[in-house]
Amino acid sequence: MTDLLYSEEEEALRSAVRDLLTDHCDAAGVIARTESDAPHDRSLWKALADGMGLAGLLVPEAQGGHGASHREVAVVLEELGRAVAPVPYLTSAVVATEALLACEADDLLADLASARRIGALAVALNVAPGGAFKTVRSEDGTLYGELTGIADAAAADVLLVPAGDGGLYAVDADAVTITPQVSLDLTRPLATVTLDGASGRRIGEAEPAVRRALRAGAGLLASEQFGLAEWSLTETVRYLKERKQFNRPVGGFQALKHRLAQLWLEIVNLRAAARNAADALATGEDADVAVAVAQAYAAQVAVHAAEEAVQLHGGIGMTWEHPAHLYLKRSKADSIAYGTAGAHREAVAELVGLQAP
């Protein structure tokens, strides 16, 4: 029987990450950043990745990392979700790193683990694990083509690009054209990557690397979604205890108590599913099923929690200055990231042999 409770080390890690985010990632700052030309918080990324060494958690010590597991990464992502932190952690320290772990690219792994460089897998954010992904044309290591919906490409120093010849190529971001796309979630911006004769280094086979990377991305995204949902509930409860109507706290009204109790139940279930997915990725046991189950459930809970936060904050929840909209946009964007809930439900059915009626 697996123990899904948080260990002392995981709780200590959570405390350290939360303290850092409390000091360096306030909501007003995140909102101001979304309105600027630089949505990514480079100084926060440096503090997390370089100062605390969190970029190398999944990388073995022999390859320049910390040799931790997906469970520790999940705790970090819960906290980053709670703060809607505009850093490329999921895309670089998880997805790009997992792709490199499937290849022979120790130099790049060490660069990403030490945060000397930021990586991005050049696969659209909406592609599910095992789903079809777009490739570029390769002519003797020179790449041509256009890829859209690439998350955090604007922050990347190196792009991992799948090509039509079956290879995965490492391409310097300087060698490609990165054009920002209009995206709902401004804290995890999308971009179009255009390769027009960019030179790339073949580092491995694209299919297994992309599949592994997207599975880890989907599984650990559930922990981010849990963090988003937990913040939404906690802040809403706090607000409803303070807000008065008819000379009594709004939170005392039974109809609102029922809504919050229902939400609490959903979030507790989400935490269980997210922890199970992280543990399965760490141990390698039934990881495909655990990830698909978590993602089949996570999106609706995170979106529901954010919607309730906006609505139950009343008029203030609708304002740009209040951070509730950041959580709603991130949870909506996450609901199609690494596959929709419907795609994951189909995957669960296939994996456990449930035939459609």
Side-chain angles (χ1 to χ4, degrees), residues 13 18 46 71 76 78 110 125 128 167 181 191 197 208 210 232 243 255 266 270 319 338 348:
L13 175 62
R18 188 174 294 191
K46 189 167 174 53
R71 288 177 60 124
V76 174
E78 285 178 20
L125 184 61
Q181 289 178 248
V210 170
S232 299
R243 177 89 169 90
E266 291 176 16
L270 170 54
T319 63
Y338 306 117
V348 171

Side-chain angles (χ1 to χ4, degrees), residues 7-17:
S7 67
E8 283 184 27
E9 292 82 2
E10 287 164 356
E11 289 293 7
L13 175 62
R14 175 195 309 289
S15 180
V17 174

Side-chain angles (χ1 to χ4, degrees), residues 292-353:
V293 166
Q295 274 307 319
Y297 184 68
Q300 69 189 52
V301 177
V303 172
H304 182 210
E307 287 175 344
E308 290 286 70
V310 170
Q311 191 171 34
L312 294 177
H313 273 82
I316 193 174
M318 305 288 178
T319 63
W320 183 258
E321 291 74 23
H322 193 279
H325 66 92
L326 295 175
Y327 292 82
L328 182 58
K329 290 169 186 167
R330 173 65 73 87
S331 61
K332 285 292 246 186
D334 281 357
S335 70
I336 58 169
Y338 306 117
T340 61
H344 287 286
R345 279 194 288 273
E346 286 178 15
V348 171
E350 198 174 310
L351 287 163
V352 301

Side-chain angles (χ1 to χ4, degrees), residues 163-185:
D165 63 1
L168 187 68
Y169 288 81
V171 181
D172 284 341
D174 295 344
V176 305
T177 305
I178 295 172
T179 312
Q181 289 178 248
V182 177
S183 48
L184 174 66
D185 175 18

